[in-house]
Amino acid sequence: MINLFEVAETNKMIEQENLDVRTITIGISLLDCMDHDIDVLCKNIYNKITTVAKDLVKTGEEIEKKYGIPIVNKRISVTPIGFVGSNACKSTKDFVKIAKTLDRCAAELKVNFIGGYSAIVSKGMTPAERLLIESIPEAMKVTSNVCSSVNVGSTKTGINMDAVKLMGEIIKETADLTKENDSIGCAKLVVLCNAPDDNPFMAGAFHGVSEADCIINVGVSGPGVVKNAIEKCKGEDFGKLCETIKKTAFKITRVGQLVAQEASKMLNIPFGIIDLSLAPTPAVGDSIADCLEGMGLKSVGAPGTTAALAILNDQVKKGGVMASSYVGGLSGAFIPVSEDQGMINAVENGALTLEKLEAMTCVCSVGLDMIAIPGKTSSATISGIIADEMAIGMINQKTTAVRIIPVTEKDVGETVEFGGLLGYAPIMPVNEFDCSEFINRGGRIPAPIHSFKN
């Protein structure tokens, strides 16, 4: 039974502490759209998406009005296009044609992003998947709302180093092709290890082949709520701190569960999962860095930062799984630089480096996220950064990701402005010692010994 105190408490979290539902994402299977003719395939994709998701934005707005809960984004994820286009696509231009179709769907439906321009190549690449990857730079240039992801490794399969090398080159090319807009194409492109099939957050969202024909996944976020709860524990021991974060995560997740169930009922689409990731925004008071500093750090990046993030991530998950039986996606804490004012401040004051961020990714939900680096950085160095992050995910049996932006014609000391939820970022220095001989070995890094579970 919900009492008046809980209603007032939730209202306070929404009005004063930036609690919101970050996204309602409809996952749509495109398997029944496949065809040998590219024009027929594109027509099938357009018809399927615009039919299934036609009421998504309207439904989200109605839920906002009914419950007073802000729903920031309405999004769509689709079956990885590297698979869907395998019969029809004979060139990169064919894949770009699909990307334009997806962008047209997003514009018509008024969703902010559509994810799934993706390839799953953790053990090897089909000819079609290689074509899709090679088409990514042009696809990111000619579309506004399409997000791309490539899964290059997993605990079960190891790391496809041919794909890692290729992605370093693709990221550089994407940056150059979109240099007029500060290389923003790279902000819509992420490289993953252990990518989940049900992630509602961009840029890594796609509709996995294990999913139903269509599904509702909801991502809920509330770093401001968690920060205020942590501030009330000043001077308390870690037991009290952890209990407070856990209880707060429970309350946040219940709000997401309510929205997910309501959206599922109104759209007549099955409810999939709640992703309870704490995803920051550039807004003041909506920062993961503030949560960590509230635990007693002078600045993010100081000794103790990784331990503080581990506490936050674990307690958020513990509280969430008590609130919903269907927690999935990524779930935990995101640490993007450009989207978190506290992280930006820590970079600018010299407390937070790329190497410290990499250490933090061992215990967070994702990885190196929305980090701007000098445009002169070589593709081999970018591949080396990707390989390091994929190894963390593979060995630790967790999702890791790299969304890094080598901003063409900009260097350390300059700032890049992306706008909106993507925020802005200072250009961070990168270790310039060469790793090209290592990257050029090619082949596949074998799966770790603990991958054998049968």
Side-chain angles (χ1 to χ4, degrees):
M1 178 72 72
I2 297 176
N3 58 44
L4 289 176
F5 173 78
E6 290 171 317
V7 172
E9 187 178 44
T10 302
N11 285 337
K12 181 179 176 233
M13 289 192 290
I14 293 167
E15 293 170 5
Q16 301 176 25
E17 300 172 0
N18 296 322
L19 174 64
D20 59 51
V21 169
R22 190 56 48 88
T23 178
I24 297 178
T25 301
I26 292 185
I28 302 173
S29 173
L30 300 183
L31 296 179
D32 56 350
C33 298
M34 294 174 71
D35 196 275
H36 289 281
D37 185 297
I38 184 63
D39 293 321
V40 173
L41 172 60
C42 288
K43 182 180 178 181
N44 291 344
I45 288 172
Y46 178 83
N47 289 340
K48 176 85 180 270
I49 293 173
T50 53
T51 299
V52 173
K54 68 182 189 300
D55 295 324
L56 173 60
V57 171
K58 181 180 75 171
T59 298
E61 291 170 350
E62 288 176 3
I63 295 171
E64 284 183 283
K65 289 176 185 175
K66 182 175 180 179
Y67 294 103
I69 300 169
I71 301 172
V72 181
N73 301 299
K74 294 85 179 175
R75 296 169 170 169
I76 297 167
S77 63
V78 298
T79 310
I81 296 299
F83 182 73
V84 174
S86 58
N87 287 333
C89 295
K90 309 303 179 189
S91 67
T92 57
K93 289 182 180 178
D94 288 338
F95 274 111
V96 171
K97 191 168 187 177
I98 297 177
K100 290 179 178 178
T101 300
L102 295 174
D103 206 42
R104 192 156 57 99
C105 292
E108 177 163 326
L109 297 170
K110 296 183 172 58
V111 298
N112 71 321
F113 283 124
I114 182 163
Y117 197 75
S118 308
I120 313 300
V121 296
S122 54
K123 202 170 183 181
M125 283 181 277
T126 65
E129 287 168 329
R130 177 175 279 277
L131 283 175
L132 177 131
I133 292 172
E134 291 172 349
S135 77
I136 288 172
E138 181 67 19
M140 295 300 97
K141 178 184 178 181
V142 301
T143 63
S144 300
N145 302 96
V146 174
C147 287
S148 180
S149 61
V150 179
N151 190 83
V152 300
S154 73
T155 301
K156 213 52 179 154
T157 63
I159 302 171
N160 182 348
M161 288 301 293
D162 293 326
V164 169
K165 179 185 177 184
L166 179 57
M167 286 312 300
E169 297 164 358
I170 292 297
I171 288 169
K172 281 285 287 184
E173 187 181 346
T174 303
D176 289 340
L177 279 183
T178 57
K179 65 182 180 181
E180 294 82 5
N181 295 308
D182 284 331
S183 301
I184 197 170
C186 296
K188 302 184 292 172
L189 169 60
V190 61
V191 185
L192 292 147
C193 179
N194 289 322
D197 284 357
D198 54 7
N199 166 28
F201 284 101
M202 301 296 169
F206 60 83
H207 187 71
V209 294
S210 63
E211 299 288 304
D213 187 57
C214 54
I215 206 84
I216 290 284
N217 295 322
V218 167
V220 63
S221 183
V225 179
V226 174
K227 183 199 83 163
N228 285 344
I230 289 170
E231 286 176 351
K232 293 172 184 174
C233 290
K234 193 172 181 64
E236 300 283 357
D237 66 16
F238 284 108
K240 175 70 172 177
L241 174 65
C242 291
E243 192 69 15
T244 299
I245 296 171
K246 185 169 66 176
K247 287 179 179 177
T248 304
F250 177 90
K251 295 170 187 174
I252 293 170
T253 308
R254 294 300 279 181
V255 172
Q257 176 102 341
L258 172 67
V259 170
Q261 290 174 337
E262 190 75 4
S264 174
K265 182 172 67 176
M266 292 172 70
L267 291 166
N268 195 30
I269 293 175
F271 161 48
I273 57 95
I274 297 286
D275 185 318
L276 50 105
S277 296
L278 296 181
T281 71
V284 174
D286 204 22
S287 163
I288 300 298
D290 289 350
C291 294
L292 302 180
E293 290 170 6
M295 294 186 196
L297 303 172
K298 182 69 175 176
S299 173
V300 170
T305 297
T306 306
L309 182 57
I311 290 168
L312 181 63
N313 215 47
D314 187 52
Q315 298 310 312
V316 164
K317 290 180 179 180
K318 285 175 177 172
V321 296
M322 288 297 292
S324 174
S325 298
Y326 297 100
V327 170
L330 297 163
S331 291
F334 289 178
I335 53 170
V337 173
S338 78
E339 299 171 14
D340 188 315
Q341 186 61 53
M343 294 288 182
I344 295 168
N345 295 341
V347 171
E348 290 178 336
N349 67 29
L352 188 59
T353 64
L354 191 60
E355 288 74 20
K356 184 60 176 179
L357 279 164
E358 182 182 301
M360 292 165 67
T361 65
C362 296
V363 297
C364 80
S365 282
V366 193
L368 299 172
D369 196 15
M370 287 302 292
I371 296 170
I373 61 173
K376 65 183 180 182
T377 307
S378 71
S379 62
T381 295
I382 294 171
S383 293
I385 293 169
I386 293 170
D388 286 342
E389 199 60 38
M390 300 303 100
I392 289 171
M394 176 183 73
I395 296 297
N396 290 297
Q397 304 177 73
K398 69 184 290 294
T399 303
T400 49
V402 174
R403 187 163 48 147
I404 200 163
I405 303 133
V407 185
T408 304
E409 298 175 357
K410 288 202 173 183
D411 209 338
V412 176
E414 297 183 80
T415 299
V416 56
E417 181 72 50
F418 298 117
L421 279 176
L422 298 177
Y424 73 98
I427 308 290
M428 297 184 70
V430 173
N431 188 318
E432 295 181 0
F433 283 87
D434 185 52
C435 65
S436 57
E437 186 178 344
F438 175 78
I439 295 301
N440 288 335
R441 286 179 179 272
R444 181 161 55 94
I445 295 176
I449 186 65
H450 55 259
S451 68
F452 301 110
K453 299 279 187 182
N454 293 338

